[in-house]
Amino acid sequence: MTTVTAPAAGRASAPARTGAGALAGTGTLIRFGLRRDRVRIPVWVVALTLGTMSTVTEFKTLYSTAAERASAVSSMDSPAALAMTGPRHYLTDYNIGSMMGHQLIGFMAVLVGLMSVLIVTRHTRDEEETGRAELVRSTVVGHHAQLASALAVAAVANLALAALLTLSVLSAGVDGITAGEALLYGLTLAAVGLVFAGVAAITTQITAHTRGASGMALAVIGVAYVLRASGDVGNDALSWLSPIGWGQRTYVFVDNRWWPLLLCLGLAALTAATGFLLSTRRDVGAGLRSSRLGRRTASDALTRPLGFALRLHRGTLLGFGAGLFLMGVMYGSILGEAADMVKDIEQIQEALAKIGGASVAESFASMVMVVIAVVAAVYVVMATLRPRAEESAGRAEPLLATGLSRDRWLGSHVAVALAGGTALLLVAGLGFGLSGAASVGDGGLVLQLVGAALAYAPALWVTVGVAVALFGWFPRAGTAAWIVPVYAFLVGYLGSVLQFPDWMNNLSPFGHVPQLPAAGMSWTPMLVLTALAAGLIRLGLAGFRRRDLETK
């Protein structure tokens, strides 16, 4: 006789894996995800909103008259400028609003896509890679609950961004902008963000590693941007293959077309549904793509701290290298048109005159070089804080339990950050120089711009030093190192146009770098920055030796 045992009191039976049961526990996971990201999401949303508002303020300052806006139209109506901004149709009525749609949507869409990808991979693949997802799924949680909650958290972040952008655009005091136009601007970026959240839902099923899933999704964002740029310059059909192109073709503040948002929402739903479908064809913790078999024995480099650290940083370093090279090429492609672009913009002319230089091209190159340096600084902060992630995940403890010293372990990551950041400057300067020399017709610019980029290396090293010092003594405060590149961009690039006082620029290590090629070389600040970086790194290493290691 078969005995049927009833479930114990207070214990819920496991949910079905199909239908409504597959989504059991989604609401709880959504609340938990929002609780985990209570700092990350507001930081993303506020930073993107402040970036938009600072650009709007800059537009209002630089293009206050019809003549200045007409000059902007002539400077933007070139293949290189359209590739960096958006479709030519915005130029038919170039006011402050259409400038926002033309110059901001493409750039902001990339950042919003990045935010969405990181949110989805953090709450799905990262949970599986660390083993937490298996524990969560052993409770009353449906098979699709984790992915559904991750997409819901990404949707909340995008809608919050849309709402804040709408309110901030309305409060900016731009004449002629209506509430409907401001709402369309915010929803356009949110819709594109939802598309890339859906893309991340697919990539998290393909690979078993968080970095691989994020890398594939970011590659899709890059392809979408390239398709958009190619279509805006040449064949318009290419832009219609990109969700970023769809967002730009709302022609917000010009034609205000809402229907392209339906394309974004449709693709977002399709990619999300594909992610759910693919998740049923793999095991928890595994990916659809089987892991490649490694070598039977490790290489000699992987048996040493520096080689192992380089292997950990390799993907990020290569990605930043490719991105900075392309950024340099894009800046260089408009170098020959710099004089025409700024001839009627008084504020930029004053900023370029303050920089000096034998030509407008040299002064313009010096002004935008700080943007390249700041992007490289983003990498060095990420690389320097990687030991914090290794420590928090419990991977540092078994390594340091061997004969590996703390100085060698942390020093290997610091060395990769120092050398990698310098290599990024070299690559970016090379792309800038080759493209700029072709644009201007002066082959000598190649070495000049490479040297101008490398001049920022000591400032990068100081950024590394700040991150190391924080990690060594106050590991939980390590994220404060992001203040250095953010502040450098605000005062180094926007400050030169908006005429911030000099003392604000002097608070940034990037403010003490000679502005080559327009200015002459000065070795004293370079040596001081190098010495400061060395002191901060030594201070951080000393702190790491003295504090307790976070253990699991």
Side-chain angles (χ1 to χ4, degrees), residues 88-149:
R88 182 178 281 108
H89 184 66
Y90 281 98
L91 303 179
T92 58
D93 183 17
Y94 216 47
N95 49 53
I96 301 300
S98 55
M99 284 182 183
M100 291 174 58
H102 185 227
Q103 300 186 37
L104 281 181
I105 288 181
F107 176 70
M108 286 284 291
V110 172
L111 296 179
V112 175
L114 174 62
M115 176 188 72
S116 300
V117 166
L118 294 180
I119 289 174
V120 173
T121 54
R122 169 177 164 81
H123 292 286
T124 53
R125 178 50 64 184
D126 188 55
E127 293 295 289
E128 294 187 44
E129 191 172 3
T130 57
R132 292 189 293 263
E134 189 173 2
L135 295 176
V136 171
R137 291 193 182 190
S138 67
T139 63
V140 187
V141 172
H143 181 75
H144 293 316
Q146 198 158 33
L147 179 56
S149 64

Side-chain angles (χ1 to χ4, degrees), residues 317 320-321 324 376 379-380 416-430 454 457 460-461:
L317 183 59
F320 268 89
L324 278 170
Y379 163 76
V380 301
V416 172
L418 294 172
T422 306
L424 291 179
L425 292 176
L426 175 62
V427 169
L430 184 61
L454 290 175
L460 283 190
W461 301 340

Side-chain angles (χ1 to χ4, degrees), residues 382-425:
M382 291 177 62
T384 309
L385 294 181
R386 178 62 188 269
R388 173 60 180 166
E390 297 293 303
E391 180 184 359
S392 300
R395 293 187 290 266
E397 183 183 0
L399 288 175
L400 296 176
T402 66
L404 178 63
S405 68
R406 291 193 177 198
D407 280 356
R408 290 186 65 198
W409 178 74
L410 179 57
S412 63
H413 289 275
V414 172
V416 172
L418 294 172
T422 306
L424 291 179
L425 292 176

Side-chain angles (χ1 to χ4, degrees), residues 165-244:
L165 285 175
T166 301
L167 295 175
S168 59
V169 169
L170 286 175
S171 64
V174 179
D175 294 336
I177 290 183
T178 66
E181 290 174 326
L183 180 61
L184 178 58
Y185 175 79
L187 289 179
T188 295
L189 292 173
V192 176
L194 291 178
V195 171
F196 292 119
V199 170
I202 294 176
T203 61
T204 54
Q205 315 307 323
I206 296 174
T207 178
H209 303 287
T210 305
R211 289 180 177 270
S214 300
M216 282 190 286
L218 295 181
V220 173
I221 295 177
V223 170
Y225 187 87
V226 170
L227 287 172
R228 191 282 309 163
S230 302
D232 290 343
V233 172
N235 186 356
D236 189 64
L238 292 175
S239 293
W240 286 103
L241 299 176
S242 167
I244 299 177

Side-chain angles (χ1 to χ4, degrees), residues 352-364 366 515 517-520:
L352 294 177
K354 186 176 180 180
I355 293 174
S359 65
V360 174
E362 285 189 357
S363 302
F364 184 78
S366 299
Q515 293 185 295

Side-chain angles (χ1 to χ4, degrees), residues 254-307:
V254 179
D255 294 339
N256 297 311
R257 302 195 300 191
W258 289 81
W259 62 264
L261 299 187
L262 298 178
L263 296 177
C264 292
L265 294 178
L267 182 57
L270 178 62
T271 51
T274 303
F276 283 117
L277 178 63
L278 295 178
S279 69
T280 63
R281 287 163 167 74
R282 66 176 182 86
D283 294 329
V284 177
L288 293 173
R289 187 181 65 182
S290 58
S291 301
R292 186 182 58 170
L293 294 177
R295 297 173 55 179
R296 295 177 63 88
T297 58
S299 66
D300 290 339
L302 288 179
T303 62
R304 297 180 176 87
L306 183 60

Side-chain angles (χ1 to χ4, degrees), residues 328 332-333 335-336 429-447 449:
S333 66
L335 202 55
L430 184 61
F432 199 175
L434 292 173
S435 180
S439 176
V440 176
D442 181 7
L445 271 179
V446 177
L447 292 179
L449 293 180

